[in-house]
Amino acid sequence: MYGYAGRILHVDLTTGKTRVEPLNEEYAKKYIGGIGLGMRLWLDYSKAGVDPFSPENPLVLTTGPTSGTVWPTGGNGHAFVAKSPQSYGIAEAKSHGSFGTELKRAGYDGVIFHGRAEKPVYVWIDDDSVQILDASHLWGRSPAETEDMIKEELGDYYIRVAAIGPAGEKLVRIACIINEKSRAAGRCGLGAVMGSKNLKAIAVRGTKDVMVAKPDEFLEFVKEFHERMKGPATKKYRTLGTPENVLVHNALHCMPTRNYNNAHFEAAEKVSGEYLNERYVAKIIGCSSCAMRCEHICIVNEGPYKGAMARVEYEPLWAMGPYCGVDRLDAIIKGCELCNYYGIDSISAGVIVGFAMDCFENGILTVKDTDGIEARFGNHEAMVKLIEKIGKREGIGDILAEGVKIAAEKIGKGAEKLAQHIKGVEVTGYDLRCLKTAALGFAVSFRGADHNRHGAYAFDVKGKFNRLKYEKGRAKYVKDLEDVYTVIDSLIICKFSRGTYYKEFEDLAKLYTLVTGWETTPEEMRLKGERINNLARVINVREGLSRKDDTLPWKVMNVPIPDEGPSKGAYVSKEELDLMLDDYYEVRGWTRDGVPTPEKLRQLGIDDLIPIVEAKIRKA
């Protein structure tokens, strides 16, 4: 097979045995790779209702058909899939850098980690040689420290490593898996799943060739996309980076501030992308095969956080800044650095701190509960200390490490109304009260609150629709974008490059054809995207999720935006949410409870999943 290594590696951490099986060619064609192939493999090797921290919850690592090639942004990605300890549904998270490139060149389309090791281990994949090695000396180390120590131990600086930090070891539910020290497979708590297996790290060295079917035409297409990625479609990422969004969202009054108490931050200028670039950005670097270079590395040169260094994107900046009422970039950079050190999702970390601050301001938490921390909005020292406590599961951090949903249930006293999450996963930097197309995308996202499963915020922010009012018919636009996004995440192309695929499915189909040699039409590519979205939904249905879980945070539906300005008074009513869901399920061809119908699954060629949905439909 061109574009694929043709092999899946199984690593049983309980028995220490490994084996390799051929990649199922039908799966490759149906689910592409990345999250599509990963979710299908997870479904095949898991039991319904499995606990996320059970040894029987497999952790699946996949590459895509473009991984290991020179395709711009597509050569370098990888994805992790498992059941989420936050949503209790399917979880997927991608990362870029060079780890995916190396894994593909080692000869694997996927690696499935089964079971649980008796003691901390790391897996060393050196082409065909696979060893499970002792990691006791790495336990307690940060991902960056772990990476350096493994490279030193194995004697090769160019080995690529993906590791968890202390938070993953302690089963912090927002733990992530970090490669190249600052690249995170961040959302849904997959670092905690890895920690539950006593798997500290995965080290890879690959020396094999990755062959494409039509090399001459492929290289011409590569050249064309290199030029596109140096053009206007990616200018934002190459210049200010995603922090450019701060002032854009603030002007529209759609930037959640102080745990959704406001939608506008009066000190936004002080945490803007412009301010960040002028004072803190030290250099910009890029991933393997990428023509954009988006990674803005920031350094604090003076003050109480002197020496702090981290990559800063809009979402973590927003979460630790405006969402906590903090207007100091030096503290935000320190917060990002701590998240990398402990190995936690920096978006969720900031949202959890904002939640704790809201609890404190409302008297639900006191200084006695917070170990003496004055956890008020705007207190940058409190923000930094609380992130540290979450990473260590120390004091109040032990409760907050559960994520806002479970933490609120434990705290009680009405804290549930302050917990801003969807399906247990913390919200991201878009105020859903006044971005109503985005609100639908967030509500139905199969991995919980997230902007990267659909990108529907673009319709609202760019003014395509009236963002303050939902109208029937918009679900078609959300669905279409979801299908594009699942194809992108299955090929594992960087989302930042999505604007360079001018003809969307036509460009993606041509890329897939040139790499694999399997002639694929734009319509067939669209069907792959739809199939993968239905696969994710079937998995969530099997795990017990339904319409009741396609909802929005309490404040989004009960607290109108109070700020004077263009969004004042906006919120999403129950009637409006029902309209959104009915519209969406109809477009998807699902039942009114959000279950894919047998007819839809037959249409998509996944008849073998019909027994799962039939059981749920009969029960309903």
Side-chain angles (χ1 to χ4, degrees):
M1 285 186 279
Y2 290 106
Y4 293 93
R7 301 194 307 170
I8 301 293
L9 170 64
H10 292 262
V11 178
D12 190 325
L13 296 166
T14 302
T15 64
K17 293 181 178 177
T18 65
R19 66 183 173 89
V20 173
E21 68 178 12
L23 171 67
N24 181 325
E25 186 173 318
E26 183 186 350
Y27 277 11
K29 288 179 177 176
K30 282 187 171 178
Y31 305 108
I32 303 174
I35 68 165
L37 178 63
M39 291 193 293
R40 180 67 223 210
L41 292 173
W42 184 86
L43 180 65
D44 286 358
Y45 288 95
S46 64
K47 295 176 182 173
V50 64
D51 186 89
F53 292 147
S54 164
E56 295 184 341
N57 180 21
L59 177 66
V60 183
L61 163 63
T62 54
T63 58
T66 60
S67 300
T69 72
V70 294
W71 183 254
T73 85
N76 53 50
H78 62 279
F80 284 98
V81 171
K83 186 169 182 177
S84 168
Q86 287 200 283
S87 71
Y88 283 73
I90 193 68
E92 53 80 11
K94 290 81 52 192
S95 181
H96 290 260
S98 297
F99 180 84
T101 307
E102 204 74 12
L103 181 62
K104 185 67 168 292
R105 290 176 184 168
Y108 304 101
D109 300 302
V111 183
I112 306 177
F113 297 96
H114 306 269
R116 174 188 292 152
E118 279 189 15
K119 61 181 183 179
V121 298
Y122 75 92
V123 173
W124 167 220
I125 302 169
D126 186 12
D127 282 340
D128 294 340
S129 168
V130 181
Q131 300 178 65
I132 302 175
L133 302 175
D134 179 39
S136 300
H137 59 302
L138 303 173
W139 211 244
R141 299 285 186 173
S142 72
E145 290 168 343
T146 301
E147 181 175 330
D148 286 342
M149 290 174 72
I150 288 177
K151 287 180 174 179
E152 180 72 25
E153 195 167 292
L154 299 177
D156 186 349
Y157 178 79
Y158 292 102
I159 286 169
R160 303 298 174 181
V161 177
I164 60 170
E169 298 168 9
K170 294 175 185 294
L171 308 188
V172 172
R173 290 180 192 267
I174 60 167
C176 57
I177 304 167
I178 293 183
N179 58 288
E180 276 112 312
K181 301 183 178 179
S182 63
R183 296 275 172 177
R187 305 235 76 198
C188 304
L190 291 173
V193 174
M194 190 160 154
S196 75
K197 296 183 174 301
N198 276 328
L199 177 58
K200 178 66 180 177
I202 306 154
V204 184
R205 178 168 58 197
T207 62
K208 300 180 180 180
D209 291 331
V210 177
M211 308 296 287
V212 299
K214 302 181 180 183
D216 293 338
E217 292 171 72
F218 176 72
L219 279 176
E220 286 304 312
F221 212 34
V222 167
K223 290 176 188 174
E224 182 178 338
F225 269 76
H226 255 279
E227 291 308 310
R228 291 190 191 185
M229 288 182 192
K230 291 185 279 190
T234 63
K235 182 183 175 185
K236 177 170 88 173
Y237 307 110
R238 290 182 281 112
T239 53
L240 294 181
T242 53
E244 181 179 308
N245 293 349
V246 171
L247 295 185
V248 174
H249 291 188
N250 204 49
L252 293 172
H253 287 222
C254 68
M255 186 165 65
T257 299
R258 288 178 281 269
N259 199 40
Y260 264 82
N261 286 338
N262 305 94
H264 180 79
F265 189 43
E266 64 283 355
E269 292 280 353
K270 293 169 70 176
V271 295
S272 66
E274 289 78 355
Y275 201 86
L276 183 74
N277 269 266
E278 186 182 324
R279 293 169 185 260
Y280 294 100
V281 174
K283 68 174 180 179
I284 305 173
I285 57 178
C287 296
S288 169
S289 76
C290 180
M292 295 188 296
R293 297 191 315 124
C294 70
E295 189 171 352
H296 291 58
I297 303 297
C298 303
I299 297 177
V300 179
N301 289 315
E302 59 185 2
Y305 304 113
K306 183 178 179 179
M309 180 174 75
R311 171 191 184 182
V312 177
E313 296 289 345
Y314 165 70
E315 302 288 341
L317 187 162
W318 155 80
M320 293 178 227
Y323 202 74
C324 295
V326 169
D327 63 0
R328 288 183 54 152
L329 282 168
D330 57 348
I332 293 167
I333 294 168
K334 181 63 182 178
C336 290
E337 183 187 67
L338 285 172
C339 289
N340 287 342
Y341 182 84
Y342 290 107
I344 53 178
D345 174 4
S346 51
I347 301 173
S348 285
V351 173
I352 293 169
V353 172
F355 158 77
M357 288 178 164
D358 211 359
C359 287
F360 192 90
E361 297 276 6
N362 282 282
I364 296 172
L365 290 176
T366 67
V367 287
K368 188 178 175 184
D369 300 311
T370 59
D371 312 315
I373 297 172
E374 282 283 334
R376 298 197 179 281
F377 286 124
N379 184 343
H380 62 91
E381 292 174 334
M383 182 271 287
V384 170
K385 286 178 182 174
L386 287 171
I387 287 176
E388 197 153 17
K389 283 184 174 294
I390 292 170
K392 293 178 178 176
R393 270 195 181 271
E394 178 185 273
I396 185 67
D398 190 36
I399 294 175
L400 298 178
E402 297 290 276
V404 296
K405 179 177 184 290
I406 297 175
E409 290 167 2
K410 289 187 173 183
I411 293 169
K413 305 176 191 174
E416 293 91 341
K417 293 180 178 177
L418 308 182
Q420 300 299 103
H421 68 89
I422 297 169
K423 300 182 178 77
V425 179
E426 288 74 20
V427 294
T428 65
Y430 302 83
D431 197 312
L432 304 178
R433 293 172 293 191
C434 62
L435 301 172
K436 298 200 172 176
T437 320
L440 171 58
F442 274 71
V444 299
S445 162
F446 62 73
R447 73 171 185 177
D450 202 71
H451 54 290
N452 270 329
R453 281 271 38 90
H454 48 82
Y457 55 87
F459 297 124
D460 299 318
V461 172
K462 293 180 180 178
K464 182 176 177 64
F465 299 131
N466 178 354
R467 64 186 174 90
L468 301 176
K469 180 183 178 185
Y470 187 83
E471 296 159 319
K472 184 175 167 57
R474 282 192 209 173
K476 169 83 167 55
Y477 293 86
V478 175
K479 172 196 168 291
D480 287 349
L481 255 187
E482 284 180 324
D483 293 345
V484 174
Y485 272 37
T486 45
V487 168
I488 286 175
D489 288 340
S490 298
L491 288 165
I492 315 189
I493 291 164
C494 178
K495 291 253 177 53
F496 288 175
S497 70
R498 64 190 183 279
T500 63
Y501 293 81
Y502 304 148
K503 299 177 182 176
E504 284 192 342
F505 286 120
E506 187 175 332
D507 284 339
L508 293 165
K510 180 177 178 181
L511 169 62
Y512 189 66
T513 300
L514 294 179
V515 170
T516 64
W518 296 327
E519 291 295 331
T520 306
T521 67
E523 175 57 18
E524 287 169 340
M525 212 65 193
R526 189 194 65 74
L527 274 177
K528 292 179 195 293
E530 185 176 2
R531 181 182 300 121
I532 295 165
N533 270 304
N534 276 267
L535 166 66
R537 187 72 181 193
V538 169
I539 292 174
N540 278 351
V541 165
R542 191 191 79 166
E543 297 307 307
L545 277 65
S546 65
R547 182 181 181 116
K548 70 181 187 314
D549 301 289
D550 292 340
T551 188
L552 295 166
W554 189 86
K555 282 191 178 182
V556 172
M557 299 184 67
N558 291 278
V559 181
I561 291 175
D563 312 294
E564 293 297 333
S567 301
K568 184 177 172 62
Y571 74 107
V572 179
S573 67
K574 177 70 167 60
E575 293 72 24
E576 208 165 16
L577 176 63
D578 283 338
L579 171 63
M580 292 176 183
L581 297 183
D582 290 343
D583 192 20
Y584 179 81
Y585 296 160
E586 183 182 334
V587 168
R588 277 276 176 218
W590 297 351
T591 69
R592 197 175 178 282
D593 199 36
V595 180
T597 61
E599 293 74 24
K600 172 54 69 176
L601 299 186
R602 278 191 204 96
Q603 181 191 338
L604 295 172
I606 42 179
D607 308 44
D608 57 322
L609 303 185
I610 288 174
I612 297 174
V613 299
E614 280 184 334
K616 296 294 178 181
I617 291 170
R618 277 199 301 271
K619 193 177 286 186

